[in-house]
Amino acid sequence: MTTAPDAPEHTGFRLSQLIYDTRYRSITIQIVVLFLVMGFVGWLVDNTIQNLNALGKDFNYGFLSQRAGYDIGNALIPYNNDMSHGRALLVGLLNTLWVSFLGCITATVIGVIVGVLRLSKNWLVGRLMTIYVEVFRNIPVLLWILVAIALLTEAAPSPNQYKVNPATGEAQTSMVLESVAFTNRYTAIPSIHFDRSLGSLDTALAPISLNFLAIVVVLLASWFAVKLVNKRAARVQEATGVRPTTLWMNLAIWVLPVAVLVTALGINPEEPVLKGFNFVKGTNVSNAFVALWAGLSLYTAAFIAEIVRAGILAVSKGQTEAAFALGLRANRTMSLVILPQALRVIIPPLISQYLNLTKNSSLAIAVGYLDLRGTLGGITLNQTGRELEAITLMMLIYLVISLLISGGMNVFNNRVKLKER
C-alpha cells in the first residue's frame, strides 16, 4: 500500500505575502497609498507655512471677529457695517442659501412643465418648448444673468412712471396684478403684516416672530395629519381593494388650520404705494436678486426639462396603454402613472442640477448681489488680505452645502426607487 505524502508544515507568516498573497496585497496597497497621500498633504502644509512665514503672515481666522466696515444691501438678518466679518459671512451665506432654494424650486416647476409639454402631440407647443430648451441651455448662465439685469435696469420704467396723472386718472405704466411694480431700481412687491402679534423670540442670529413660528408649527401638524390620513387610506385599500377619497380631506387639513390661525392673528397684506419718487409700504426687492434668481432658474430649468423628458420616455408605453384601458384621462395618467415611475430615472441627475445651481449662485458678484462669494470671497478677502483663509473656508462651506443637498436628495431617491422583493 502507498501512503499519502505528509502535509507541508505551517511555515507561518512571511513578509513576501504582503505582495504576492491576494489576501494581504490589497491592504498593503491601501496602506502605501495612504502614507503617500499623508506625505503629500504634510509637504503641502509645510510648504504653505514656510511661504507664509517668508511673507510675514500666519494662518488664523481671527479676522472674522474684526469690524467689517461695509454695507450689505440684501440682508436677511440684522446687519450694519459696525458688525464683524463673521457676521458679514453669515449674511452672505444666508443670501446664497435663499437664492439657491428659490432657484431650485422655480427651476423644478418650470423644468417639469417644459419637459412634459415638449412631449405634447401639439406640434407648435412641442417646438416652442424645444426652442426654449436649446436656446437657454446652450448659452452660458452668466450671460442670462446679465441679460436679466439689463432688462430690469434699462427696459424697466422708473418708479415715478407709476404715478397716476390727476388729469386723466391713469398712470403711464400700470402695476402687474395691481400689486407688483418692476422698476429700474428695484421690484416692489406686497408684504404681509399681522394686526395682532404674539411677540418675538430673540436669538443670536436675529429675532424670530412667534407668529411665523406658530404658522410653521401648524403646517408641521397638518403634514403629520395628512400622513396619518394617507396611511389609513392605504390600510383600507389593502383590506377592501377600494381606496377612500382623501383629496378633499387633505386639502382641508392643509388649508383650514392655517386659514383660521392667520385670520385670528389679523393678516394684513400691504401693497406697495408710490409716494414721491419711491414706493413705500410693501417690500422693495433689489433687481440684482431678481436677475440672479431669474437667470439661474431659467437656465437650470432647460436642463431639468430634458431630464424630465428622458425620464418619461424611459417608462414603458405599456403603462400608458394600460392606464388608458382603465379609463384614466391623459392628465391623470401622467400624474398618477407616468411621473411616479419616471422619478426613479429623474432624481439622480436632478441632484446634479441642484448642485450646479447652488454653485452657479456665486456668479451673483456680476450683478452686485452680495452672497458668500461677494462677502467672504470678495470684500472681506480684499480688506483683510487673508486670501488663503478666506478661500479655504469658502470652499469648505460650499462643500458642506453640496454634501447636504446630495444627502437629502439621496434619501428621497431611496424612498421612491423601485423596491425589489
Side-chain angles (χ1 to χ4, degrees):
M1 296 177 62
T2 59
T3 59
D6 295 337
E9 296 181 359
H10 181 67
T11 57
F13 176 78
R14 299 187 303 273
L15 289 176
S16 60
Q17 291 178 272
L18 294 176
I19 299 176
Y20 299 106
D21 194 327
T22 56
R23 294 175 299 173
Y24 304 105
R25 185 163 51 201
S26 62
I27 299 177
T28 303
I29 294 174
Q30 293 180 56
I31 293 175
V32 171
V33 171
L34 176 62
F35 276 103
L36 290 175
V37 171
M38 292 176 61
F40 174 75
V41 172
W43 171 83
L44 187 63
V45 171
D46 180 69
N47 187 58
T48 302
I49 293 175
Q50 291 182 11
N51 289 335
L52 288 175
N53 290 334
L55 295 173
K57 292 184 177 181
D58 58 351
F59 188 86
N60 68 77
Y61 287 95
F63 69 94
L64 293 177
S65 61
Q66 299 175 3
R67 179 179 178 272
Y70 61 89
D71 295 321
I72 300 177
N74 304 276
L76 298 177
I77 59 176
Y79 172 83
N80 59 65
N81 55 22
D82 288 326
M83 293 184 176
S84 64
H85 285 291
R87 184 73 174 190
L89 181 156
L90 183 59
V91 172
L93 175 60
L94 291 177
N95 286 345
T96 294
L97 295 177
W98 180 236
V99 73
S100 300
F101 173 73
L102 294 179
C104 287
I105 293 177
T106 310
T108 302
V109 173
I110 298 174
V112 170
I113 294 174
V114 173
V116 172
L117 291 180
R118 194 174 179 191
L119 296 172
S120 174
K121 295 181 180 179
N122 186 304
W123 184 88
L124 180 59
V125 173
R127 293 303 172 271
L128 287 176
M129 296 302 103
T130 300
I131 292 173
Y132 166 80
V133 170
E134 296 301 331
V135 169
F136 272 90
R137 74 173 182 169
N138 289 301
I139 296 178
V141 61
L142 177 60
L143 296 183
W144 287 118
I145 295 173
L146 294 177
V147 167
I149 192 66
L151 289 175
L152 288 172
T153 56
E154 301 297 334
S158 59
N160 60 3
Q161 292 183 9
Y162 288 90
K163 190 174 183 179
V164 177
N165 189 338
T168 61
E170 296 180 356
Q172 184 176 351
T173 303
S174 58
M175 301 173 66
V176 178
L177 300 177
E178 298 183 354
S179 59
V180 178
F182 293 97
T183 75
N184 56 3
R185 295 206 298 265
Y186 50 77
T187 300
I189 62 175
S191 61
I192 297 177
H193 299 278
F194 294 97
D195 295 332
R196 288 175 287 278
S197 175
L198 300 176
S200 61
L201 178 65
D202 292 331
T203 64
L205 298 179
I208 301 177
S209 171
L210 293 181
N211 290 7
F212 171 76
L213 289 180
I215 294 174
V216 171
V217 170
V218 170
L219 290 175
L220 289 176
S222 299
W223 179 68
F224 281 111
V226 167
K227 289 191 64 176
L228 293 176
V229 170
N230 291 336
K231 287 182 178 179
R232 177 184 174 278
R235 289 195 301 267
V236 173
Q237 183 179 12
E238 292 176 359
T240 64
V242 178
R243 185 179 180 86
T245 303
T246 58
L247 175 61
W248 298 110
M249 184 178 295
N250 288 341
L251 286 177
I253 292 174
W254 278 114
V255 175
L256 291 180
V258 175
V260 171
L261 177 61
V262 297
T263 302
L265 294 176
I267 187 171
N268 181 22
E270 289 186 351
E271 297 183 354
V273 177
L274 184 63
K275 186 176 181 180
F277 296 99
N278 283 295
F279 282 94
V280 297
K281 298 185 178 180
T283 301
N284 295 335
V285 182
S286 71
N287 283 340
F289 172 80
V290 177
L292 179 65
W293 179 19
L296 292 175
S297 300
L298 295 174
Y299 176 79
T300 309
F303 291 90
I304 295 178
E306 284 297 274
I307 294 172
V308 171
R309 186 176 70 93
I312 294 174
L313 293 177
V315 179
S316 172
K317 291 184 178 179
Q319 298 291 319
T320 303
E321 294 171 354
F324 288 164
L326 293 174
L328 291 178
R329 297 179 180 178
N331 59 341
R332 301 291 288 176
T333 299
M334 179 60 68
S335 61
L336 297 179
V337 178
I338 305 302
L339 281 180
Q341 297 184 69
L343 281 177
R344 300 160 186 165
V345 180
I346 292 173
I347 292 177
L350 187 63
I351 299 174
S352 298
Q353 295 306 319
Y354 287 166
L355 296 177
N356 289 337
L357 189 148
T358 302
K359 290 178 287 188
N360 285 338
S361 66
S362 60
L363 296 172
I365 194 171
V367 291
Y369 180 73
L370 290 182
D371 64 338
L372 182 64
R373 168 66 179 85
T375 54
L376 176 63
I379 302 177
T380 294
L381 183 151
N382 293 328
Q383 285 188 355
T384 61
R386 296 288 180 173
E387 302 89 353
L388 184 61
E389 293 91 334
I391 294 300
T392 53
L393 181 58
M394 186 169 58
M395 292 172 61
L396 178 62
I397 292 174
Y398 275 115
L399 175 63
V400 171
I401 294 173
S402 298
L403 292 177
L404 289 176
I405 294 174
S406 180
M409 291 298 295
N410 283 330
V411 171
F412 180 65
N413 184 40
N414 290 332
R415 294 189 61 181
V416 302
K417 72 178 182 180
L418 182 63
K419 305 293 191 304
E420 297 183 356
R421 298 182 180 178

